[in-house]
Amino acid sequence: MLSLREPASARTGMTFHQMLEKIRYEGAYPTRDRAETITRAVLEALGRQLTTAERIELAACLPTEASHALTRQNPDPQQVTGRQFVKDLASRTGTTPATARWDTGAVLATLGHLAGPDLLTRILHQLPEGYALLFGQAELRRREPAAA
């Protein structure tokens, strides 16, 4: 397992500054400060949704500053769907749902890259419907057979 005491660049291959620049580019944000504000808001919101080992594993994949934002909040007792996640983020940040959806996609696409496909799959299986699209993935939930 990776150590949280290692320098961020050793654990992730990406510094916090590099992560913000990637998110700034992906989200077409005018400044690094804007990208940082959005990144922290999305990470805190996601941290409220993850409650298991996947939260710890994801934090270990991120630069230290990002992992602190992800783990700063206590998990919510009840998870919300991807749509509710975006609405809640819009409410907390004072933006529209469309802007919050854009912001979420810019941040979570980068997180998905840092997490890698195996951890991302486990995270998506833990979360309710609607998060795969926020991470830039196809929603591949199995449908339950209809009751006879």
Side-chain angles (χ1 to χ4, degrees):
M1 180 168 219
L2 296 173
S3 169
L4 289 176
R5 293 183 183 178
E6 292 178 44
S9 58
R11 287 185 289 119
T12 65
M14 185 179 287
T15 66
F16 187 58
H17 178 76
Q18 289 169 327
M19 180 181 160
L20 290 177
E21 284 303 317
K22 182 170 176 50
I23 291 167
R24 180 180 176 193
Y25 176 79
E26 294 293 328
Y29 300 115
T31 66
R32 189 175 146 278
D33 286 343
R34 179 71 181 139
E36 183 172 354
T37 299
I38 289 161
T39 299
R40 289 184 187 278
V42 172
L43 288 172
E44 289 175 5
L46 182 63
R48 288 189 293 274
Q49 297 303 306
L50 299 175
T51 60
T52 63
E54 286 78 14
R55 177 181 169 155
I56 296 166
E57 285 187 61
L58 179 58
C61 295
L62 302 177
T64 304
E65 299 89 335
S67 67
H68 288 183
L70 179 73
T71 59
R72 179 183 2 228
Q73 301 292 318
N74 290 327
D76 284 340
Q78 186 164 350
Q79 292 178 315
V80 297
T81 65
R83 181 182 178 129
Q84 293 166 321
F85 178 89
V86 169
K87 285 180 69 176
D88 180 64
L89 184 66
S91 173
R92 289 176 188 267
T93 59
T95 62
T96 66
T99 299
R101 168 64 180 90
W102 179 268
D103 295 342
T104 300
V107 174
L108 295 186
T110 300
L111 259 60
H113 171 75
L114 290 170
D118 293 337
L119 177 55
L120 180 57
T121 298
R122 291 197 316 273
I123 289 169
L124 291 176
H125 282 294
Q126 177 194 341
L127 294 168
E129 70 180 33
Y131 283 87
L133 293 174
L134 298 176
F135 277 94
Q137 305 290 308
E139 186 79 42
L140 299 175
R141 297 259 178 185
R142 282 191 281 158
R143 292 187 181 183
E144 299 296 323

